[in-house]
Amino acid sequence: MNGTRVSGAPIDQHLHWHDINWAKCTCAVKRHQARIVKATQEGKWGKVKSLQHLLTRSFSAKALAVKRVTENRGKNTAGIDGTTWSTPAAKMKAVNSLKHNGYKPLPLKRVAIPKSNGKERLLGIPTMKDRAMQALHLLALEPVSETLADSNSYGFRPARSTADAMEQCFKILSQRGSARWVLEGDISACFDDIKHEWLIDNVPTNKTILGKWLKSGVIDKGNLFATEKGTPQGGIISPTLANMTLDGLQKVVEGVIPRTTRRGQNVAKVNFVRYADDFIITGGSKEILENEIKPAVVEFFKSRGLTLSKEKTKITHVTEGFDFLGQNVKRYGEKVLIKPSTKSVKSIKTKIREILNGNKQTTAENLIRMLNPILRGWANYHKHIVSSKVFSSIDNFIWEQLWQWSKRRHPKKSSTWVKNKYFHTYGFRNWVFSAKILKTGVNMPNKWLRLVNLTSISIQRHIKIKGDANPFDPTWEGYFDKRLMSLMKKSLKGKAKLTSIWKNQEGNCPICNLKIAQDEKWDIHHKIRKVDGGSDNVTNLVMLHLNCHRQTHSQDYRMSS
């Protein structure tokens, strides 16, 4: 990085955003985070505080914080000041504005998001500067939270997913001697009710700034309301604060009944799985869960200002089945099967129907472009469980809906004409809804855009992450590298060209030299531009992170101008 150092402001005050060396920034922050992990493991809280102080004042951390808030999904959503950082100059100015002295966060902007049950989820949207400050302090807090986290907590944590949580559910319920009873836990208004006093007393971060965030207030319909409790949904640091509030519950649950009887076995069959504020606890009997486990959970929540939802918290036998994270877990005889929940299937069908009914006059190409991301996302979420029959039934539903859509568009045409226009044969597949994409360039052949077929998405068993794995601890670096390689290979399965490009660069982005993960956004870049005679061959293509791709083009443009 030209003229920058790990801590303090950049030496070169005229440094361009696209001149920042992101590899050096990331490495500097990672080294600092590793030191925080070690201090946390050793219980040296004074050192933790000192290291956090240094990190949150470093240029590298500030640059990464701004990078995060200007690249995530909410980058174009402004707070109450109406400001977004869309230009390189604005981003660079933002880095230099992240100062602690005199910092005062603005109130949150209240936004209501409809929920599936007809209620609303209230989000509090901070300003861009407040988001960046939260992202900055999260860089210093997350190494602590990950080191102290419950091993079977999976929500809003790096390198963990719902698939890990569901695999753990299968693990603890699928054995012959596994528990048959499950406490389905749900916390009532978790984000809204956490006691501010508990957070300030127990979360190891800058207490003054944390207090300012919690008490910043919210603007709703032009009126300012005080925030006396809770941490707002919509803030970057809020999920981590909620996780740290709930961490320790696993230890409490598993400590209610000793696990060391009968050769160290878990006789009570008490196991715990949590994703954000949803959790399940297994038990050998209904009485154990009702009379011993549930009271301990209620007592744990009491000091934090939280309560169990009476509506959603219940005790269920596994032969009845229960829904968890959009999937249904149920024992059929000697087998436990996890399938997409009825509610999830109904939701995807409703969404498909709404798109078709709301776009009766659009082209087939536009319709496919609207449907494909939704179908891929839903199928990828459920592809680790028993989903083949459900995928097939949804494909049949989609065909019926598309046939109605096609016939409605051309009421005077015959069925044969409609079929030939919209449905074609590819390989062994018939009746594939597709559209021809016309190319206007010279010697450019027309291409076909096809609707995703869910049954063509292979079911893949997910390998659960190790409970103690910590992405900020250098001792786990090799494990995470191997895991990333495995997950990326699976995500690129069937895409031979992309797989070759990714393997050629050994899974690293050539610009920042950091790993390209399967859940990150990336672009394909031509080493030699096509206008300069470059080809689409694998040897002329590289996979870059989105920001690295922008950086490359920006530097090329400034060099040529």
Side-chain angles (χ1 to χ4, degrees):
M1 185 191 314
N2 298 329
T4 63
R5 53 179 183 265
V6 174
S7 61
I11 297 171
D12 181 2
Q13 296 294 334
H14 301 289
L15 182 70
H16 193 277
W17 174 257
H18 287 307
D19 286 335
I20 295 176
N21 188 322
W22 295 109
K24 285 188 177 181
C25 275
T26 304
C27 288
V29 170
K30 280 187 173 181
R31 283 196 301 269
H32 219 86
Q33 289 174 324
R35 295 178 65 194
I36 293 174
V37 168
K38 185 178 179 182
T40 303
Q41 291 169 338
E42 295 172 349
K44 297 179 179 179
W45 295 107
K47 188 173 183 180
V48 169
K49 184 177 179 179
S50 176
L51 290 169
Q52 288 179 324
H53 179 90
L54 289 173
L55 182 59
T56 55
R57 281 148 181 85
S58 72
F59 174 84
S60 295
K62 290 178 180 180
L64 287 176
V66 172
K67 182 174 182 285
R68 173 172 179 173
V69 301
T70 54
E71 291 183 3
N72 63 15
R73 290 173 59 185
K75 63 184 179 181
N76 296 321
T77 303
I80 63 167
D81 62 351
T83 301
T84 57
W85 299 331
S86 56
T87 66
K91 295 173 186 178
M92 202 64 235
K93 184 178 179 181
V95 173
N96 291 314
S97 74
L98 297 183
K99 299 175 181 178
H100 293 70
N101 292 336
Y103 169 67
K104 184 178 180 180
L106 292 175
L108 307 164
K109 181 171 72 173
R110 173 66 53 82
V111 177
I113 306 296
K115 295 171 69 173
S116 58
N117 60 4
K119 298 181 180 179
E120 292 182 332
R121 174 180 287 110
L122 299 178
L123 300 184
I125 308 299
T127 64
M128 289 296 288
K129 182 173 181 177
D130 294 333
R131 272 178 257 176
M133 284 294 283
Q134 289 189 20
L136 176 61
H137 282 267
L138 184 58
L139 288 171
L141 178 61
E142 215 166 23
V144 180
S145 68
E146 281 299 298
T147 304
L148 302 177
D150 289 344
S151 60
N152 285 315
S153 161
Y154 300 96
F156 302 116
R157 295 181 60 190
R160 283 167 169 76
S161 66
T162 53
D164 292 305
M166 298 311 298
E167 187 63 25
Q168 179 65 11
C169 287
F170 181 80
K171 179 182 176 182
I172 62 179
L173 290 170
S174 62
Q175 304 302 314
R176 180 172 294 182
S178 295
R180 295 293 191 266
W181 292 92
V182 175
L183 169 65
E184 303 172 60
D186 184 272
I187 304 166
S188 180
C190 178
F191 281 84
D192 298 331
D193 289 343
I194 300 173
K195 284 184 178 179
H196 287 178
E197 296 78 13
W198 191 94
L199 288 170
I200 292 171
D201 290 343
N202 293 277
V203 175
T205 190
N206 186 301
K207 309 293 185 184
T208 302
I209 289 182
L210 176 59
K212 289 180 179 180
W213 286 332
L214 296 175
K215 301 293 185 183
S216 63
V218 60
I219 299 287
D220 188 10
K221 298 177 182 178
N223 299 313
L224 175 64
F225 296 92
T227 46
E228 300 298 337
K229 59 181 181 178
T231 175
Q233 295 187 64
I236 285 179
I237 204 169
S238 294
T240 301
L241 295 178
N243 265 337
M244 296 193 77
T245 304
L246 300 177
D247 281 332
L249 180 57
Q250 178 177 337
K251 186 177 180 180
V252 167
V253 167
E254 294 177 349
V256 171
I257 300 174
R259 301 168 65 94
T260 56
T261 56
R262 201 194 299 173
R263 300 178 184 177
Q265 294 182 4
N266 183 2
V267 177
K269 301 174 183 178
V270 175
N271 293 284
F272 175 86
V273 182
R274 178 171 69 84
Y275 189 94
D277 57 345
D278 292 326
F279 62 90
I280 66 160
I281 303 171
T282 67
S285 70
K286 186 175 183 178
E287 291 71 27
I288 286 175
L289 294 174
E290 185 69 55
N291 301 327
E292 301 188 55
I293 299 298
K294 190 175 178 180
V297 172
V298 170
E299 186 62 28
F300 175 86
F301 287 154
K302 191 175 181 181
S303 63
R304 292 156 171 79
L306 302 174
T307 56
L308 284 173
S309 167
K310 293 181 180 180
E311 177 188 347
K312 298 181 181 179
T313 300
K314 53 188 176 180
I315 298 174
T316 309
H317 197 275
V318 289
T319 55
E320 297 176 31
F322 63 93
D323 288 351
F324 187 54
L325 305 179
Q327 298 176 346
N328 181 262
V329 184
K330 186 175 180 179
R331 178 173 281 275
Y332 300 82
E334 294 301 314
K335 286 186 177 181
V336 168
L337 299 180
I338 303 179
K339 304 177 182 180
S341 69
T342 301
K343 184 178 178 180
S344 181
V345 173
K346 184 179 178 181
S347 175
I348 188 67
K349 286 183 176 180
T350 299
K351 193 172 290 185
I352 292 166
R353 194 181 291 112
E354 287 175 349
I355 290 174
L356 292 173
N357 290 338
N359 295 276
K360 294 178 181 179
Q361 300 303 319
T362 193
T363 63
E365 179 184 344
N366 288 339
L367 195 63
I368 293 171
R369 293 192 188 280
M370 283 186 277
L371 288 171
N372 273 356
I374 294 170
L375 295 176
R376 282 199 189 96
W378 192 87
N380 285 334
Y381 183 87
H382 293 291
K383 71 179 181 182
H384 304 297
I385 57 174
V386 184
S387 301
S388 295
K389 288 184 178 179
V390 175
F391 284 1
S392 179
S393 71
I394 292 176
D395 278 339
N396 290 335
F397 169 81
I398 293 171
W399 181 88
E400 291 172 356
Q401 294 293 311
L402 287 173
W403 182 249
Q404 291 177 17
W405 178 89
S406 303
K407 290 281 287 181
R408 188 168 51 226
R409 287 202 68 189
H410 307 282
K412 297 182 180 180
K413 298 293 185 180
S414 68
S415 295
T416 301
W417 185 94
V418 171
K419 178 187 181 300
N420 291 336
K421 179 172 177 62
Y422 294 110
F423 299 90
H424 305 90
T425 299
Y426 291 94
F428 297 103
R429 290 176 54 204
N430 298 318
W431 290 87
V432 180
F433 190 75
S434 46
K436 185 182 288 186
I437 306 174
L438 300 177
K439 299 292 184 178
T440 56
V442 179
N443 298 324
M444 293 181 69
N446 294 326
K447 292 185 178 181
W448 287 85
L449 183 66
R450 297 187 288 273
L451 187 72
V452 168
N453 179 255
L454 298 190
T455 52
S456 67
I457 296 175
S458 59
I459 305 299
Q460 302 173 354
R461 183 71 179 269
H462 180 75
I463 299 174
K464 189 184 82 71
I465 192 170
K466 291 183 178 180
D468 296 330
N470 186 343
F472 299 99
D473 188 341
T475 59
W476 286 97
E477 187 173 348
Y479 169 80
F480 279 105
D481 282 349
K482 289 180 180 178
R483 183 173 176 82
L484 174 60
M485 295 289 280
S486 174
L487 293 173
M488 192 66 175
K489 285 179 182 177
K490 286 182 180 179
S491 71
L492 294 177
K493 188 176 180 181
K495 302 173 183 176
K497 193 170 187 178
L498 289 176
T499 302
S500 296
I501 296 168
W502 183 74
K503 284 183 177 179
N504 287 346
Q505 55 196 63
E506 298 180 346
N508 296 324
C509 172
I511 302 302
C512 66
N513 202 34
L514 299 175
K515 297 292 182 184
I516 298 177
Q518 83 282 0
D519 56 352
E520 288 183 311
K521 292 184 178 180
W522 42 265
D523 272 338
I524 295 298
H525 175 71
H526 290 77
K527 298 177 186 176
I528 302 174
R529 297 184 305 174
K530 295 187 75 172
V531 295
D532 296 328
S535 69
D536 285 327
N537 294 332
V538 170
T539 53
N540 190 47
L541 301 175
V542 289
M543 191 181 290
L544 304 178
H545 289 118
L546 282 184
N547 189 70
C548 295
H549 198 198
R550 294 191 200 102
Q551 187 177 41
T552 300
H553 282 292
S554 172
Q555 290 172 344
D556 289 345
Y557 172 78
R558 283 184 286 135
M559 286 176 65
S560 62
S561 59

